[in-house]
Amino acid sequence: MTIRKKELFTIPNLMGYFRILLIPIFMYIYLNAQSVTDTCRALFILILSGITDFFDGIAARKLHQVTQLGKALDPVADKLTLGAVIFCLIRTIPGIQYLFAVFAVKELYMLAGNLISMRFHGKKLDGAAFIGKASTMITYWCLAFFLLFPHMPRLLQLILMMLCGGMMIAAGLYYLPTFYHFIKGD
């Protein structure tokens, strides 16, 4: 992927960089929270990231600034944000480290599948399928509930973690035949 200098500083790409810069800010505020107000500030950072994510896609299309960098940057910002939030919740939500493990394995599998496909056959996924987008959206919503209600009933915590994990696994399995065909050379 060759990146032209003018592609680096498009409005949508600047929003993507901004989302990535929000990650350590979120982590710092959340991990050092001393009150509900601090936790709400961290949640506000996450909501700001989500709003920016929503508008960067619209801006890219409306301003005709869809770039290869932007197509790569957007999912990277999503995955880094989700991973950071799940990681931060490990200290407050018992068992969420297993969700983090599912998330990490799925994302490493997706990365490896794309890299192997690109290396040997010049093919890669062209955007997320509906199930991948649904998995990301559901995970964001569930994580927001964990942030807002860290002391929710244990059964509800388990249901939300299983929902997220199940969606991640389903999304990963959905791409399995695609990667198989890419690697096989079909």
Side-chain angles (χ1 to χ4, degrees), residues 88-107:
C88 286
L89 288 168
I90 288 173
R91 73 178 198 170
T92 56
I93 308 295
I96 206 161
Q97 67 270 21
Y98 300 113
L99 181 62
F100 184 79
V102 169
F103 171 81
V105 167
K106 183 240 179 195
E107 293 310 324

Side-chain angles (χ1 to χ4, degrees), residues 7-130:
E7 289 183 1
L8 290 173
F9 300 107
T10 64
I11 291 171
N13 288 351
L14 290 172
M15 287 192 239
Y17 305 143
F18 178 68
R19 288 177 58 213
I20 292 171
L21 290 173
L22 288 175
I23 295 167
I25 296 168
F26 163 82
M27 292 180 76
Y28 178 81
I29 293 171
Y30 183 78
L31 293 173
N32 292 294
Q34 299 293 318
S35 66
V36 173
T37 303
D38 292 340
T39 302
C40 286
R41 284 186 184 119
L43 182 58
F44 172 78
I45 297 294
L46 192 60
I47 291 168
L48 180 60
S49 177
I51 291 168
T52 307
D53 181 25
F54 177 75
F55 283 113
D56 74 355
I58 292 171
R61 289 183 290 282
K62 294 280 185 190
L63 300 172
H64 306 288
Q65 294 181 344
V66 175
T67 65
Q68 290 303 313
L69 175 61
K71 288 179 182 179
L73 186 63
D74 189 60
V76 167
D78 278 341
K79 303 316 173 194
L80 291 174
T81 301
L82 288 174
V85 176
I86 298 169
F87 179 79
C88 286
L89 288 168
I90 288 173
R91 73 178 198 170
T92 56
I93 308 295
I96 206 161
Q97 67 270 21
Y98 300 113
L99 181 62
F100 184 79
V102 169
F103 171 81
V105 167
K106 183 240 179 195
E107 293 310 324
L108 289 172
Y109 149 75
M110 296 294 291
L111 177 64
N114 263 318
L115 290 175
I116 291 168
S117 298
M118 284 289 296
R119 170 70 174 98
F120 294 107
H121 299 288
K123 296 179 181 179
K124 68 179 180 76
L125 295 175
D126 189 29
F130 176 77

Side-chain angles (χ1 to χ4, degrees), residues 19 53 78-79 82 106-107 128 130-143 167-168 171:
R19 288 177 58 213
D53 181 25
D78 278 341
K79 303 316 173 194
L82 288 174
K106 183 240 179 195
E107 293 310 324
F130 176 77
I131 191 160
K133 292 178 182 187
S135 174
T136 299
M137 182 193 70
I138 287 169
T139 302
Y140 266 119
W141 279 103
C142 290
L143 294 177
M167 288 299 294
M168 289 176 195

